[in-house]
């Protein structure tokens, strides 16, 4: 089982901010902004490259939930959503996840 599958299964503890039957949001262990949350499908999808017609409803559900998480975190001034896919993007955990970053004015650097 991959690291985030273990977190989804509760085998590794995390600070959860949202959970339902199919997705989980928890605080990043090494935050890069005052608010840094990871949102994952509980089902294992390796990365954005693994999104397909069979599982894309999970991605839609994640994006429908992100605004509610941002509101609960009081990110009234905006936030950034990032998914790193593969080595060139610096993906370190091979389970699809979306970073929510906010709580400060973020750098505009994209690469
Ligand atoms: P990536 O680099 O793959 O886009 O993002 C992986 C993220 O997972 C990193 O921001 C890293 O800090 C976070 N992370 C790695 N291991 C753990 C862990 O055990 N618990 C939590 N909460 N976050 C983790
Ligand atoms: Zn996994």
């Amino acid at each position: 089982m991959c690291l985030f599958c273990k977190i989804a299964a509760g085998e590794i503890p995390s600070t959860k901010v949202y959970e339902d039957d199919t997705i989980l949001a928890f605080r990043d262990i090494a935050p890069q902004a005052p608010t840094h949350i990871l949102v994952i499908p509980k089902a294992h999808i390796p990365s954005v490259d693994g999104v397909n017609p069979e599982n894309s409803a999970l991605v839609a559900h994640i994006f429908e939930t992100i605004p509610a998480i941002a509101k609960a975190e009081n990110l009234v001034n905006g936030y950034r959503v990032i998914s790193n896919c593969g080595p060139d993007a610096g993906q370190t955990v091979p389970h699809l996840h979306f970073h929510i970053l906010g709580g400060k004015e973020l750098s505009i650097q994209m690469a």
Side-chain angles (χ1 to χ4, degrees):
M1 232 197 284
C2 89
L3 176 64
F4 286 176
C5 280
K6 288 179 181 165
I7 286 178
E11 290 181 17
I12 292 176
S14 66
T15 305
K16 295 175 187 179
V17 299
Y18 176 83
E19 181 173 22
D20 63 27
D21 287 350
T22 57
I23 70 172
L24 173 67
F26 55 96
R27 297 198 189 280
D28 196 291
I29 203 167
Q32 294 178 37
T35 297
H36 188 170
I37 290 165
L38 302 171
V39 193
I40 65 169
K42 289 185 173 179
H44 182 83
I45 300 170
S47 73
V48 170
D49 262 352
V51 176
N52 59 45
E54 280 68 51
N55 61 28
S56 62
L58 286 169
V59 179
H61 180 45
I62 285 171
F63 273 80
E64 287 166 359
T65 305
I66 284 172
I69 294 171
K71 192 171 182 190
E73 293 290 319
N74 200 31
L75 300 179
V76 291
N77 234 16
Y79 56 92
R80 184 171 290 159
V81 180
I82 292 174
S83 190
N84 295 315
C85 179
D88 275 4
Q91 183 181 2
T92 58
V93 179
H95 182 125
L96 179 65
H97 54 280
F98 297 91
H99 299 254
I100 302 174
L101 294 153
K104 69 170 186 181
E105 192 173 337
L106 299 162
S107 155
I108 60 166
Q109 187 177 337
M110 293 291 279

